[in-house]
């Protein structure tokens, strides 16, 4: 069944979500400040909107895919935002990665405007979105989370209700701890393989099914080995997420030394001008260190 959906934010991730929603037969209104991003989805059948409010008219679901809680707040409740155009009962599904506290605030603001809110951050990146195999962790009222699945089933193969509003975002932080540390481990292992003269591209097959195997190993070790830096994510987005993790760890009194180090390395790469690059560009950190030793 075709759903009437609005998409606010059509960057690398939002664009992939929008493309998948269109490919599965849904009606899609799209708004993004970048006209080129909107045009790319319009070519695939989406309808362009001049504002978030316009995009949100006469739809049942509004999906947001944005980069920070401030931007989510403006898109949802600012001038010409979602709340200005959405009909009562519209369900806002925030697929951004933002702070749990901000999510709870937005959910309350939505309720006061007769709108519903579900936080449903994701794992899997644009490649998984395009084939409908995202992993989603949802927070919100049970009835709203169940209803959100009507739209999200088109983009996700794993959808879990984690608890009340903000629980999805907290789970995403845990995901980012594991991913951030995993990326670093795979990058280090790749550099060691290259320096030791082992055919690094054979390692994923050699370790497949063993305890060291993982989706990150299978996808990224070959990319690290060949410096395949095509963009499916951004290093500075990981900085944002790990900063949120460290803030939450301070609130909970949780000691996370490895995560703190991982965040610092990502900050160093961002300061070096690599923030907009894919995680595969972590190899530049190790190459830089090696070049310094050799010189």
């Amino acid at each position: 069944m075709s759903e009437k959906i609005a998409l606010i934010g059509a960057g690398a991730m939002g664009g992939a979500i929008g493309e998948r929603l269109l490919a599965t037969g849904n009606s899609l209104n799209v708004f993004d400040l970048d006209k080129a991003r909107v045009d790319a989805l319009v070519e695939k059948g989406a309808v362009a909107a001049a504002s978030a409010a316009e995009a949100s008219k006469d739809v049942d679901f509004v999906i947001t895919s944005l980069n920070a809680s401030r931007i989510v707040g403006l898109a949802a409740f600012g001038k010409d935002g979602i709340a200005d155009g959405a009909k009562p009962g519209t369900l806002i599904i925030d697929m951004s990665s933002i702070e749990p506290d901000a999510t709870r605030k937005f959910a309350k603001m939505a309720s006061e405007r007769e709108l519903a809110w579900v936080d449903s951050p994701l794992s899997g990146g644009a490649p998984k979105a395009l084939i409908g195999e995202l992993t989603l962790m949802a927070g919100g009222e049970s009835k709203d989370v169940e209803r959100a699945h009507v739209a999200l089933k088109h983009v996700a193969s794993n959808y879990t209700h984690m608890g009340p509003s903000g629980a999805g975002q907290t789970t995403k932080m845990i995901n980012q701890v594991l991913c951030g540390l995993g990326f670093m481990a795979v990058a280090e292992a790749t550099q060691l393989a290259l320096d030791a003269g082992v055919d690094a591209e054979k390692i994923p097959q050699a370790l497949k099914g063993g305890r060291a195997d993982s989706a990150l190993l299978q996808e990224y070790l070959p990319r690290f080995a060949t410096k395949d830096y095509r963009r499916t994510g951004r290093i500075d987005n990981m900085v944002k997420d790990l900063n949120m993790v460290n803030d939450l760890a301070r609130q909970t009194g949780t000691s996370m030394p490895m995560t703190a180090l991982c965040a610092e390395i990502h900050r160093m790469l961002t300061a070096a001008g690599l923030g907009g690059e894919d995680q595969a560009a972590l190899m530049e950190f190790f190459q830089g260190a090696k070049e310094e030793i050799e010189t």
Side-chain angles (χ1 to χ4, degrees):
M1 178 180 174
S2 175
E3 306 298 335
K4 297 172 71 174
I5 303 170
L7 174 68
I8 313 301
M13 196 66 241
I17 290 168
E19 187 172 336
R20 174 65 181 179
L21 290 171
L22 289 166
T24 50
N26 296 285
S27 168
L28 188 70
N29 298 339
V30 60
F31 172 71
D32 191 291
L33 293 176
D34 188 328
K35 185 176 182 298
R37 294 174 176 176
V38 174
D39 289 345
L41 288 176
V42 168
E43 288 179 4
K44 294 178 170 62
V47 176
S51 67
E54 182 180 307
S56 303
K57 289 180 179 177
D58 299 320
V59 301
D60 298 312
F61 305 97
V62 180
I63 291 174
T64 54
S65 180
L66 301 164
N67 200 38
S69 56
R70 181 186 66 83
I71 301 171
V72 173
L74 287 172
F77 306 110
K79 185 179 183 330
D80 293 325
I82 295 165
D84 285 345
K87 64 189 178 185
T90 300
L91 176 56
I92 301 170
I93 305 169
D94 183 29
M95 300 185 75
S96 317
S97 294
I98 64 173
E99 300 86 349
D101 285 348
T103 290
R104 287 187 282 269
K105 180 181 76 173
F106 294 151
K108 184 174 184 295
M109 293 171 68
S111 178
E112 290 168 351
R113 290 161 174 78
E114 299 184 77
L115 305 172
W117 188 285
V118 165
D119 51 299
S120 185
L122 59 89
S123 184
K128 290 293 187 180
L130 289 169
I131 59 175
E133 293 185 1
L134 287 175
T135 291
L136 304 181
M137 50 289 295
E141 297 289 336
S142 294
K143 61 180 174 50
D144 296 328
V145 171
E146 183 177 351
R147 182 180 160 209
H149 192 229
V150 172
L152 296 176
K153 67 184 179 184
H154 299 286
V155 298
S157 57
N158 184 10
Y159 181 68
T160 306
H161 184 193
M162 295 304 301
S165 183
Q169 296 295 355
T170 301
T171 307
K172 176 59 184 285
M173 289 188 190
I174 294 165
N175 179 84
Q176 293 305 82
V177 169
L178 295 170
C179 284
L181 293 173
F183 280 127
M184 292 299 305
V186 175
E188 282 192 17
T190 303
Q191 189 64 55
L192 179 61
L194 294 172
D195 292 345
V198 172
D199 186 346
E201 292 185 68
K202 288 185 177 179
I203 289 176
Q205 178 58 41
L207 302 186
K208 190 173 184 179
R211 284 189 170 180
D213 196 12
S214 69
L216 286 182
L217 172 69
Q218 293 298 326
E219 179 181 356
Y220 267 86
L221 197 147
R223 292 186 58 191
F224 283 143
T226 60
K227 293 195 172 182
D228 174 3
Y229 292 175
R230 57 195 159 86
R231 296 178 183 175
T232 60
R234 293 172 61 104
I235 286 173
D236 54 13
N237 277 343
M238 183 62 77
V239 172
K240 170 184 72 74
D241 291 345
L242 292 178
N243 284 344
M244 290 193 296
V245 169
N246 286 328
D247 288 343
L248 182 61
R250 282 191 286 272
Q251 292 173 26
T252 59
T254 305
S255 179
M256 303 188 74
M258 300 306 297
T259 302
L261 176 60
C262 181
E264 191 59 36
I265 291 172
H266 279 74
R267 289 190 201 102
M268 290 170 63
L269 289 167
T270 300
L274 295 170
E277 298 299 326
D278 187 83
Q279 288 286 337
L282 283 172
M283 290 307 294
E284 293 301 305
F285 175 81
F286 297 100
Q287 191 62 39
K290 185 170 183 292
E291 286 172 355
E292 287 178 11
I293 291 170
E294 289 175 346
T295 56

